[in-house]
């Protein structure tokens, strides 16, 4: 058994497999490579069987999205570390070694590489950039990407650092911890389930790191475009799911304030004539209310299993205020005093 299993979740992604699997095979000799197929209806399976007969193929019975797809597949995988890798990623030489080395520290639950854009390799990519953070209203952002603003990579974020969350596009995580906390919440289907997972593990005093000496290039939006109404719905809904499950303070005042911010976003979409986006916000809230009772029960269980909450990577201010009122577009221009570091613990 190899210590690391690289697991690529595929759904009708034959073109991406053909384009990007060669780099994974070439530069990942120390890992077992596995493709987990989410009941694809294209010729992905035939392509893999004909061109990569030595790659292990796991057949999921349905397309349960990112969360269920990985839960089902990883239940059949034995390794010390799982490396969840999107199919639309080009990896680089020696990308794996620094990640594995970081995991030698047993306080580290998981880590991620530096994620650059495949379409513009000089800039950071949306999904993770150089490490994920969270503001006090629970909006995620990254070193190298604040909301819709992407920075050019000039090496300014090449230092390894502890982060709040690691991207699911290229997430290395301890297999035993993934299974201990029950993996991803399958109700998320896709988007933000990795932040929820990281948050739960941070509440058990584990750490997440970004390792920029490991570099990958991500197409992004390969399965679901970043500007699609479906993705917008999932992001708004899953963000509310995540807050209820994990926020430790007085829940309903925080939830009410966050819902007000969502209302402002919905009004903004309406003014711009983006009716589908406007509808998606309200649809997200409707589905959230339907599941609130279940979420509150999950919240209780998560609180009971929490130990010491490692809040490193938390930003004690509003990223919306910083971006839209202070016009900050670079992570390095944010006030460092608002970030919780290990010195604050």
């Amino acid at each position: 058994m190899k210590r690391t299993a690289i697991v690529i979740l595929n759904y009708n992604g034959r073109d991406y497999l053909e384009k990007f699997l060669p780099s994974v095979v070439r530069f990942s000799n120390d890992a077992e490579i596995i493709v987990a197929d989410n009941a694809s209806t294209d010729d992905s399976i035939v392509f893999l069987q004909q061109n990569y007969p030595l790659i292990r193929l796991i057949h999921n019975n349905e397309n349960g999205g990112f969360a269920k797809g990985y839960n089902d597949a990883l239940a059949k995988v034995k390794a010390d570390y799982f490396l969840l890798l999107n199919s639309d990623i080009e990896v680089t030489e020696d990308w794996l070694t620094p990640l594995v080395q970081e995991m030698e520290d047993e306080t580290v639950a998981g880590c991620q590489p530096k994620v650059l854009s495949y379409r513009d390799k000089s800039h950071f990519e949306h999904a993770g950039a150089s490490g994920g953070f969270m503001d006090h209203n629970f909006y995620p952002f990254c070193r190298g990407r604040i909301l819709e603003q992407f920075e050019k990579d000039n090496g300014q974020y090449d230092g390894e650092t502890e982060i709040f969350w690691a991207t699911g596009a290229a997430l290395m995580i301890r297999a035993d911890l993934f299974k201990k906390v029950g993996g991803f919440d399958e109700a998320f289907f896709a988007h933000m389930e990795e932040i929820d997972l990281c948050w739960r593990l941070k509440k058990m005093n584990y750490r997440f790191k970004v390792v920029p000496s490991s570099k990958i290039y991500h197409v992004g939006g390969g399965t679901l475009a970043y500007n699609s109404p479906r993705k917008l719905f999932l992001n708004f809904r899953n963000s509310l799911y995540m807050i209820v499950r994990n926020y430790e303070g007085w829940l309903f005042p925080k939830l009410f304030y966050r819902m007000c911010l969502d209302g402002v976003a919905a009004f903004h979409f309406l003014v711009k004539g983006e009716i589908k986006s406007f509808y998606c916000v309200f649809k997200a809230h409707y589905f959230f209310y339907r599941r609130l009772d279940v979420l509150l029960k999950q919240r209780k269980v998560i609180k009971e299993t929490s130990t010491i909450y490692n809040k490193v990577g938390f930003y004690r201010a509003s990223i919306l205020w910083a971006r839209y009122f202070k016009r900050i577009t670079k992570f390095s221009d944010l006030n460092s005093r608002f970030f919780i570091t290990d010195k604050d613990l």
Side-chain angles (χ1 to χ4, degrees), residues 149-177:
Q149 292 293 314
F150 305 92
E151 294 183 49
K152 185 175 182 179
D153 176 27
N154 295 312
Q156 70 272 38
Y157 305 124
D158 276 357
E160 290 187 15
T161 191
E162 187 171 351
I163 54 180
F164 195 88
W165 57 273
T167 176
L171 171 63
M172 176 170 274
I173 190 164
R174 294 184 184 278
D176 59 343
L177 291 181

CSV table of all heavy atoms in Angstrom, one decimal, residues 149-177:
chain,number,residue,atom,x,y,z
A,149,GLN,N,-11.5,39.4,-7.3
A,149,GLN,CA,-10.3,40.0,-7.7
A,149,GLN,C,-9.1,39.0,-7.6
A,149,GLN,O,-8.9,38.4,-6.5
A,149,GLN,CB,-10.0,41.2,-6.8
A,149,GLN,CG,-10.9,42.4,-7.0
A,149,GLN,CD,-10.7,43.0,-8.4
A,149,GLN,OE1,-9.6,43.2,-8.8
A,149,GLN,NE2,-11.9,43.2,-9.0
A,150,PHE,N,-8.4,38.7,-8.7
A,150,PHE,CA,-7.3,37.7,-8.7
A,150,PHE,C,-6.0,38.5,-8.9
A,150,PHE,O,-5.9,39.3,-9.8
A,150,PHE,CB,-7.5,36.8,-9.9
A,150,PHE,CG,-8.9,36.1,-9.8
A,150,PHE,CD1,-10.0,36.6,-10.5
A,150,PHE,CD2,-9.0,34.9,-9.1
A,150,PHE,CE1,-11.2,36.0,-10.5
A,150,PHE,CE2,-10.3,34.3,-9.1
A,150,PHE,CZ,-11.4,34.8,-9.8
A,151,GLU,N,-5.1,38.2,-8.0
A,151,GLU,CA,-3.8,38.8,-8.1
A,151,GLU,C,-2.8,38.1,-9.0
A,151,GLU,O,-3.0,36.9,-9.3
A,151,GLU,CB,-3.1,38.9,-6.7
A,151,GLU,CG,-3.9,39.7,-5.7
A,151,GLU,CD,-3.1,39.8,-4.4
A,151,GLU,OE1,-1.9,40.0,-4.4
A,151,GLU,OE2,-3.8,39.6,-3.3
A,152,LYS,N,-1.9,38.8,-9.5
A,152,LYS,CA,-0.8,38.2,-10.3
A,152,LYS,C,0.2,37.6,-9.3
A,152,LYS,O,0.5,38.1,-8.2
A,152,LYS,CB,0.0,39.3,-11.1
A,152,LYS,CG,1.1,38.7,-12.0
A,152,LYS,CD,1.7,39.8,-12.9
A,152,LYS,CE,2.7,39.2,-13.8
A,152,LYS,NZ,3.3,40.2,-14.7
A,153,ASP,N,0.7,36.4,-9.6
A,153,ASP,CA,1.6,35.7,-8.7
A,153,ASP,C,3.0,36.2,-9.0
A,153,ASP,O,3.7,35.9,-10.0
A,153,ASP,CB,1.6,34.2,-9.0
A,153,ASP,CG,2.6,33.4,-8.2
A,153,ASP,OD1,3.0,33.9,-7.1
A,153,ASP,OD2,3.0,32.3,-8.6
A,154,ASN,N,3.5,37.0,-8.1
A,154,ASN,CA,4.9,37.5,-8.1
A,154,ASN,C,5.8,36.9,-7.0
A,154,ASN,O,6.8,37.4,-6.6
A,154,ASN,CB,4.9,39.0,-8.0
A,154,ASN,CG,4.2,39.7,-9.2
A,154,ASN,OD1,4.5,39.4,-10.3
A,154,ASN,ND2,3.3,40.6,-8.9
A,155,GLY,N,5.3,35.8,-6.5
A,155,GLY,CA,6.0,35.1,-5.4
A,155,GLY,C,5.7,35.8,-4.0
A,155,GLY,O,6.3,35.4,-3.0
A,156,GLN,N,4.7,36.7,-4.0
A,156,GLN,CA,4.4,37.4,-2.7
A,156,GLN,C,3.8,36.5,-1.7
A,156,GLN,O,3.8,36.9,-0.5
A,156,GLN,CB,3.5,38.6,-3.0
A,156,GLN,CG,2.1,38.3,-3.4
A,156,GLN,CD,1.9,38.1,-4.9
A,156,GLN,OE1,2.8,37.6,-5.6
A,156,GLN,NE2,0.8,38.6,-5.5
A,157,TYR,N,3.2,35.4,-2.1
A,157,TYR,CA,2.6,34.5,-1.1
A,157,TYR,C,3.3,33.1,-1.2
A,157,TYR,O,2.6,32.1,-1.1
A,157,TYR,CB,1.1,34.4,-1.4
A,157,TYR,CG,0.4,35.7,-1.4
A,157,TYR,CD1,-0.3,36.1,-2.5
A,157,TYR,CD2,0.5,36.6,-0.3
A,157,TYR,CE1,-1.0,37.3,-2.6
A,157,TYR,CE2,-0.1,37.8,-0.4
A,157,TYR,CZ,-0.9,38.2,-1.5
A,157,TYR,OH,-1.5,39.4,-1.5
A,158,ASP,N,4.6,33.1,-1.3
A,158,ASP,CA,5.3,31.8,-1.5
A,158,ASP,C,5.7,31.2,-0.1
A,158,ASP,O,6.3,30.1,-0.1
A,158,ASP,CB,6.5,31.9,-2.4
A,158,ASP,CG,6.2,31.8,-3.8
A,158,ASP,OD1,5.0,31.6,-4.1
A,158,ASP,OD2,7.1,32.0,-4.7
A,159,GLY,N,5.4,31.9,1.0
A,159,GLY,CA,5.8,31.3,2.3
A,159,GLY,C,4.7,30.4,2.8
A,159,GLY,O,3.5,30.6,2.6
A,160,GLU,N,5.2,29.2,3.3
A,160,GLU,CA,4.2,28.3,3.9
A,160,GLU,C,3.6,29.0,5.1
A,160,GLU,O,4.2,29.7,5.9
A,160,GLU,CB,4.9,27.0,4.4
A,160,GLU,CG,5.4,26.2,3.3
A,160,GLU,CD,6.0,24.8,3.8
A,160,GLU,OE1,5.7,24.5,5.0
A,160,GLU,OE2,6.7,24.2,3.0
A,161,THR,N,2.3,28.8,5.3
A,161,THR,CA,1.6,29.4,6.4
A,161,THR,C,0.4,28.5,6.8
A,161,THR,O,-0.2,27.8,6.0
A,161,THR,CB,1.2,30.8,6.1
A,161,THR,OG1,0.7,31.5,7.3
A,161,THR,CG2,0.0,30.9,5.1
A,162,GLU,N,-0.1,28.7,8.0
A,162,GLU,CA,-1.3,28.1,8.4
A,162,GLU,C,-2.5,28.8,7.9
A,162,GLU,O,-2.5,30.1,7.9
A,162,GLU,CB,-1.4,28.0,10.0
A,162,GLU,CG,-2.5,27.2,10.5
A,162,GLU,CD,-2.5,26.9,12.0
A,162,GLU,OE1,-1.5,27.2,12.6
A,162,GLU,OE2,-3.5,26.4,12.5
A,163,ILE,N,-3.5,28.1,7.5
A,163,ILE,CA,-4.7,28.7,6.9
A,163,ILE,C,-6.0,28.2,7.6
A,163,ILE,O,-5.9,27.3,8.4
A,163,ILE,CB,-4.8,28.4,5.4
A,163,ILE,CG1,-4.7,26.9,5.1
A,163,ILE,CG2,-3.6,29.1,4.6
A,163,ILE,CD1,-4.7,26.4,3.7
A,164,PHE,N,-7.1,28.8,7.2
A,164,PHE,CA,-8.4,28.3,7.8
A,164,PHE,C,-8.9,27.1,7.1
A,164,PHE,O,-9.5,26.2,7.7
A,164,PHE,CB,-9.4,29.5,7.9
A,164,PHE,CG,-10.5,29.2,8.8
A,164,PHE,CD1,-10.5,29.5,10.2
A,164,PHE,CD2,-11.7,28.6,8.3
A,164,PHE,CE1,-11.5,29.2,11.0
A,164,PHE,CE2,-12.8,28.3,9.2
A,164,PHE,CZ,-12.7,28.6,10.5
A,165,TRP,N,-8.8,27.2,5.8
A,165,TRP,CA,-9.4,26.1,5.0
A,165,TRP,C,-8.5,25.9,3.7
A,165,TRP,O,-7.8,26.8,3.3
A,165,TRP,CB,-10.8,26.3,4.5
A,165,TRP,CG,-11.0,27.6,3.7
A,165,TRP,CD1,-11.3,28.8,4.2
A,165,TRP,CD2,-11.0,27.7,2.3
A,165,TRP,NE1,-11.4,29.7,3.2
A,165,TRP,CE2,-11.3,29.1,2.0
A,165,TRP,CE3,-10.8,26.8,1.3
A,165,TRP,CZ2,-11.4,29.6,0.7
A,165,TRP,CZ3,-10.9,27.3,0.0
A,165,TRP,CH2,-11.2,28.7,-0.3
A,166,ALA,N,-8.5,24.6,3.3
A,166,ALA,CA,-7.7,24.2,2.1
A,166,ALA,C,-8.7,23.8,1.0
A,166,ALA,O,-9.7,23.2,1.3
A,166,ALA,CB,-6.8,23.0,2.4
A,167,THR,N,-8.3,24.1,-0.2
A,167,THR,CA,-9.2,23.9,-1.3
A,167,THR,C,-9.5,22.4,-1.6
A,167,THR,O,-8.6,21.6,-1.6
A,167,THR,CB,-8.7,24.6,-2.6
A,167,THR,OG1,-9.6,24.3,-3.7
A,167,THR,CG2,-7.3,24.1,-2.9
A,168,GLY,N,-10.7,22.1,-1.9
A,168,GLY,CA,-11.1,20.8,-2.3
A,168,GLY,C,-10.6,20.4,-3.7
A,168,GLY,O,-10.7,19.3,-4.1
A,169,ALA,N,-10.1,21.4,-4.5
A,169,ALA,CA,-9.6,21.2,-5.8
A,169,ALA,C,-8.3,20.4,-5.8
A,169,ALA,O,-8.0,19.6,-6.7
A,169,ALA,CB,-9.4,22.5,-6.6
A,170,ALA,N,-7.6,20.5,-4.7
A,170,ALA,CA,-6.3,19.8,-4.5
A,170,ALA,C,-6.1,19.6,-3.0
A,170,ALA,O,-5.2,20.3,-2.5
A,170,ALA,CB,-5.2,20.4,-5.2
A,171,LEU,N,-6.8,18.8,-2.3
A,171,LEU,CA,-6.8,18.7,-0.9
A,171,LEU,C,-6.1,17.4,-0.5
A,171,LEU,O,-6.6,16.3,-0.8
A,171,LEU,CB,-8.2,18.8,-0.3
A,171,LEU,CG,-8.3,18.4,1.2
A,171,LEU,CD1,-7.6,19.5,2.0
A,171,LEU,CD2,-9.8,18.4,1.6
A,172,MET,N,-5.0,17.6,0.2
A,172,MET,CA,-4.4,16.4,0.9
A,172,MET,C,-4.8,16.4,2.3
A,172,MET,O,-4.7,17.4,3.0
A,172,MET,CB,-2.8,16.5,0.8
A,172,MET,CG,-2.2,15.3,1.6
A,172,MET,SD,-0.4,15.2,1.3
A,172,MET,CE,-0.4,14.2,-0.2
A,173,ILE,N,-5.3,15.2,2.8
A,173,ILE,CA,-5.9,15.1,4.1
A,173,ILE,C,-5.6,13.7,4.7
A,173,ILE,O,-5.5,12.8,3.9
A,173,ILE,CB,-7.4,15.4,4.1
A,173,ILE,CG1,-8.0,15.5,5.5
A,173,ILE,CG2,-8.2,14.3,3.3
A,173,ILE,CD1,-9.3,16.2,5.6
A,174,ARG,N,-5.5,13.7,6.0
A,174,ARG,CA,-5.2,12.4,6.6
A,174,ARG,C,-6.4,11.5,6.5
A,174,ARG,O,-7.6,11.9,6.8
A,174,ARG,CB,-4.9,12.6,8.1
A,174,ARG,CG,-3.6,13.4,8.4
A,174,ARG,CD,-3.3,13.5,9.8
A,174,ARG,NE,-2.1,14.3,10.0
A,174,ARG,CZ,-0.8,13.8,9.8
A,174,ARG,NH1,-0.6,12.5,9.5
A,174,ARG,NH2,0.2,14.6,9.9
A,175,ALA,N,-6.2,10.3,6.0
A,175,ALA,CA,-7.3,9.4,5.8
A,175,ALA,C,-8.1,9.1,7.1
A,175,ALA,O,-9.3,9.0,7.1
A,175,ALA,CB,-6.8,8.1,5.1
A,176,ASP,N,-7.4,8.9,8.2
A,176,ASP,CA,-8.0,8.5,9.4
A,176,ASP,C,-8.9,9.6,9.9
A,176,ASP,O,-10.0,9.4,10.5
A,176,ASP,CB,-7.0,8.1,10.5
A,176,ASP,CG,-6.0,9.1,10.8
A,176,ASP,OD1,-5.8,10.1,10.0
A,176,ASP,OD2,-5.3,9.0,11.9
A,177,LEU,N,-8.5,10.9,9.8
A,177,LEU,CA,-9.3,12.0,10.2
A,177,LEU,C,-10.5,12.2,9.3
A,177,LEU,O,-11.6,12.6,9.8
A,177,LEU,CB,-8.4,13.3,10.3
A,177,LEU,CG,-7.3,13.3,11.4
A,177,LEU,CD1,-6.6,14.7,11.3
A,177,LEU,CD2,-7.9,13.1,12.7
